[in-house]
Amino acid sequence: MTTVTYAQLNIGRNVGSVPMDDTQWGRFVEHAKAALAHGAGEDRRWFPSEWDARIAQAQVHYGTGEWDGVAEDSAHVSLFAEDGIDVAKLQSIASDLAAMFEQDAIAVITGSTLITA
């Protein structure tokens, strides 16, 4: 099992060339946060409050991007987890998430290096 302490999911708002409505886009972002939380840590049963705390640690940064020549809103959803994020598990969840929200792809970015002065 490969684990990392940092992972990011990059998601786009469009389904084809049509943007999701605000409610669906909000659900997609929240599901991406939950996907990162579920990829983090060992397989264990957490109490709801622990899941909520882990999900709340995820950061969301909004912007714009382009997919297949079409401009769209985008979000980078990231999580730093000292106890690790299972890369294969996160990739599997991201695949399910892409299907659920009718996406061609979701970018899964893992790992980071801290540089100090």
Side-chain angles (χ1 to χ4, degrees):
M1 171 175 66
T2 301
T3 61
V4 295
T5 56
Y6 175 86
Q8 177 177 305
L9 300 179
N10 293 357
I11 59 174
R13 184 171 183 162
N14 290 1
V15 176
S17 60
V18 179
M20 295 176 194
D21 66 33
D22 290 345
T23 300
Q24 188 72 344
W25 177 233
R27 285 185 64 237
F28 191 16
V29 170
E30 290 303 311
H31 275 74
K33 291 168 61 176
L36 287 165
H38 284 276
E42 299 173 15
D43 280 330
R44 60 180 177 254
R45 292 180 184 256
W46 286 352
F47 294 104
S49 62
E50 292 171 314
W51 280 118
D52 292 346
R54 180 60 65 114
I55 291 168
Q57 292 172 355
Q59 296 183 7
V60 181
H61 300 273
Y62 293 96
T64 56
E66 185 177 306
W67 179 259
D68 207 19
V70 178
E72 68 179 325
D73 292 334
S74 64
H76 300 170
V77 185
S78 62
L79 178 68
F80 175 78
E82 287 186 34
D83 57 344
I85 299 168
D86 181 330
V87 174
K89 184 176 174 184
L90 179 60
Q91 289 172 336
S92 176
I93 294 169
S95 177
D96 291 343
L97 193 60
M100 180 187 301
F101 286 92
E102 302 178 70
Q103 299 296 293
D104 293 330
I106 292 176
V108 178
I109 300 165
T110 59
S112 67
T113 303
L114 296 176
I115 307 299
T116 59

